[in-house]
């Protein structure tokens, strides 16, 4: 049994973490922080947790966090890096669900997030927490940078063809991605209110999005190639649903790629991955099929001999955030990888 602290427990990701961890057989959540709700019972704010926890929110106290085996930061960018060094020195592991430990390139981090990194020495030793691709490193890590939701769909969607080498033309990648409004967080914002989003569908971040450099850096690490992903096109969209994410990835195939059985390639690549489902040829993954589950579904299409379309669906709050963080924790502490994550998607 390990003890867990969650910093930032009032947002969608924080409460999703708590929901998953309360079902975990090897975890006791002992600390849940909030700057604005200290002293308030969690189940008063989130009635769905009534009967499952009697935790109250508390102020952030680093000395108390040091008593935990692992601390999750479900906070805005820039918070985790302020406390990571002190926690690591106390042998407390850190899993950050913001961007503080996602990018190794400090210039890119400062450009896109407008922050100077507070602990570059810790960043160098941190591990990018995409479980399916970095499992061995995650097992040894003290600090994890949990991937962004969009980058998770892109990496798992493209990994098999990029790892195989010479099957696709990297410069041709176009990522057309859609997310539910919970991806923007639980905050008051004009752009997030019902009358702005219901019966509406819009693109955003078209001129540039923070996940673009994360995607580029990650695809370079997957493929072993540099300088070929800088000009990929990534356009995110906001759709009028609460949770769910669907990325449609378009890419040109080389002659070798056109001659390859890509369906078999994907099925073999993910054959032992319980949270990645390669669907039968001709399928179309739906966001509702993964709602509430730590599952990612992939389907492939070849509309033309030289074209590959990859469809990827996930719940942005689970596999795209909290579920993946718990999956990383399981690897770090030697638990069964599906501990606390064996829920089935909610449909309809």
């Amino acid at each position: 049994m390990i003890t867990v602290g969650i910093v930032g427990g009032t947002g969608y990701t924080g409460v999703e973490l708590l929901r998953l961890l309360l079902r975990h057989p090897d975890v006791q959540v002992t600390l849940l922080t909030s700057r604005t709700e200290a002293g308030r019972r969690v189940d008063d704010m989130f009635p769905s947790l009534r009967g499952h926890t009697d935790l109250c929110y508390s102020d952030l106290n680093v000395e108390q966090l040091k008593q935990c085996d692992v601390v999750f930061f479900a906070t805005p960018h820039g918070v985790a890096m302020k406390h990571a060094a002190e926690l690591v020195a106390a042998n407390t592991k850190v899993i950050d669900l913001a961007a503080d430990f996602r990018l190794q390139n400090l210039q890119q981090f400062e450009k896109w997030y407008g922050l100077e990194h507070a602990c570059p020495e810790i960043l160098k030793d941190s591990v990018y927490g995409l479980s399916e691709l970095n499992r061995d490193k995650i097992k040894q890590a003290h600090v994890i940078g949990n991937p962004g939701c969009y980058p998770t769909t892109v990496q798992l969607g493209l990994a098999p063809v990029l790892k195989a080498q010479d099957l696709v033309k990297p410069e041709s990648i176009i990522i057309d991605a859609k997310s539910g409004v919970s991806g923007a967080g639980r905050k008051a914002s004009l752009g997030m209110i019902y009358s702005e989003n219901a019966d509406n569908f819009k693109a955003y971040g078209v001129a540039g999005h923070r996940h673009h450099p994360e995607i580029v850096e990650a695809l370079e690490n997957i493929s072993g190639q540099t300088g070929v992903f800088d000009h990929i096109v990534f356009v995110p969209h906001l759709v009028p649903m609460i949770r769910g994410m669907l990325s449609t990835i378009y890419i040109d195939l080389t002659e070798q790629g056109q001659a390859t059985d890509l369906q078999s390639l994907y099925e073999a690549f993910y054959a032992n991955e319980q949270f990645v489902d390669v669907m039968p040829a001709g399928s179309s993954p739906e966001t509702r099929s993964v709602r509430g589950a730590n599952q990612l579904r992939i389907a492939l299409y070849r509309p033309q001999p030289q074209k590959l379309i990859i469809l990827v669906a996930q719940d942005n709050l689970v596999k795209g955030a909290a579920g993946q963080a718990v999956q990383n924790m399981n690897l770090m502490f030697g638990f069964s990888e599906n501990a606390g994550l064996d829920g089935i998607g909610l449909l309809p």
Side-chain angles (χ1 to χ4, degrees):
M1 183 71 69
I2 64 170
T3 56
V4 170
I6 301 174
V7 179
T10 59
Y12 294 135
T13 301
V15 74
E16 193 74 354
L17 266 173
L18 183 58
R19 179 181 75 87
L20 296 172
L21 291 172
L22 288 174
R23 300 180 59 249
H24 199 293
D26 302 302
V27 162
Q28 181 182 9
V29 181
T30 58
L31 197 61
L32 193 63
T33 81
S34 169
R35 292 176 300 170
T36 58
E37 302 295 341
R40 185 177 180 181
R41 283 181 61 99
V42 177
D43 58 8
D44 178 48
M45 177 172 284
F46 297 106
S48 60
L49 298 179
R50 284 179 58 83
H52 298 281
T53 180
D54 57 2
L55 279 170
C56 291
Y57 291 110
S58 62
D59 288 320
L60 193 159
N61 183 307
V62 176
E63 294 304 316
Q64 291 179 333
L65 291 176
K66 288 180 183 179
Q67 305 307 309
C68 298
D69 294 301
V70 60
V71 173
F72 293 89
F73 282 86
T75 51
H77 312 300
V79 176
M81 64 183 179
K82 294 178 181 177
H83 305 289
E86 195 171 355
L87 292 174
V88 169
N91 204 33
T92 295
K93 296 186 178 183
V94 172
I95 301 176
D96 180 34
L97 284 84
D100 296 15
F101 299 100
R102 288 177 186 166
L103 287 170
Q104 287 295 325
N105 188 315
L106 288 174
Q107 289 183 327
Q108 289 282 22
F109 176 79
E110 292 172 8
K111 172 184 175 181
W112 288 94
Y113 293 94
L115 301 168
E116 182 178 353
H117 208 285
C119 56
E121 69 287 350
I122 297 292
L123 174 65
K124 290 178 183 177
D125 294 328
S126 67
V127 174
Y128 189 71
L130 190 58
S131 304
E132 285 75 14
L133 302 182
N134 289 334
R135 186 171 282 113
D136 291 340
K137 291 182 179 179
I138 292 167
K139 289 178 181 179
Q140 307 301 321
H142 292 282
V143 176
I144 292 289
N146 216 57
C149 46
Y150 286 125
T152 295
T153 63
V154 175
Q155 291 171 77
L156 293 179
L158 286 170
V161 288
L162 293 183
K163 288 274 191 184
Q165 300 290 325
D166 300 323
L167 299 185
V168 297
K169 299 176 181 179
E171 69 280 0
S172 69
I173 296 173
I174 297 174
I175 304 151
D176 179 25
K178 289 96 173 172
S179 177
V181 296
S182 61
R186 187 174 183 264
K187 59 182 181 292
S189 169
L190 177 62
M192 294 296 108
I193 65 175
Y194 180 81
S195 56
E196 295 290 324
N197 283 291
D199 195 26
N200 192 28
F201 177 35
K202 62 184 177 183
Y204 65 98
V206 180
H209 190 279
R210 289 173 170 179
H211 282 163
H212 188 277
E214 180 185 346
I215 290 170
V216 170
E217 186 172 281
L219 295 185
E220 289 181 343
N221 290 334
I222 291 169
S223 67
Q225 298 176 277
T226 58
V228 296
F229 299 102
D230 294 341
H231 301 294
I232 62 174
V233 176
F234 168 58
V235 181
H237 300 74
L238 194 65
V239 295
M241 61 184 183
I242 296 171
R243 60 165 82 201
M245 178 169 285
L246 179 69
S247 291
T248 304
I249 305 169
Y250 305 88
I251 191 166
D252 291 342
L253 297 168
T254 63
E255 290 187 9
Q256 184 174 335
Q258 293 177 47
T260 300
D261 183 347
L262 297 176
Q263 181 72 26
S264 295
L265 174 71
Y266 272 72
E267 290 175 355
F269 191 92
Y270 289 120
N272 299 315
E273 296 296 344
Q274 57 191 313
F275 296 123
V276 179
D277 174 26
V278 179
M279 301 179 70
S283 302
S284 183
E286 301 180 3
T287 58
R288 64 178 184 164
S289 74
V290 292
R291 186 185 297 129
N294 193 56
Q295 194 80 32
L296 179 143
R297 301 194 194 280
I298 299 174
L300 306 178
Y301 281 84
R302 293 278 299 278
Q304 301 169 19
Q306 74 277 18
K307 290 286 185 181
L308 173 64
I309 298 177
I310 309 164
L311 304 177
V312 188
Q314 70 174 5
D315 186 322
N316 58 293
L317 292 178
V318 188
K319 183 58 177 167
Q324 186 148 249
V326 173
Q327 192 177 346
N328 287 326
M329 179 199 72
N330 287 339
L331 290 170
M332 295 169 83
F333 287 93
F335 301 142
S336 173
E337 196 166 331
N338 69 349
L341 297 172
D342 54 357
I344 298 172
L346 303 174
L347 191 156

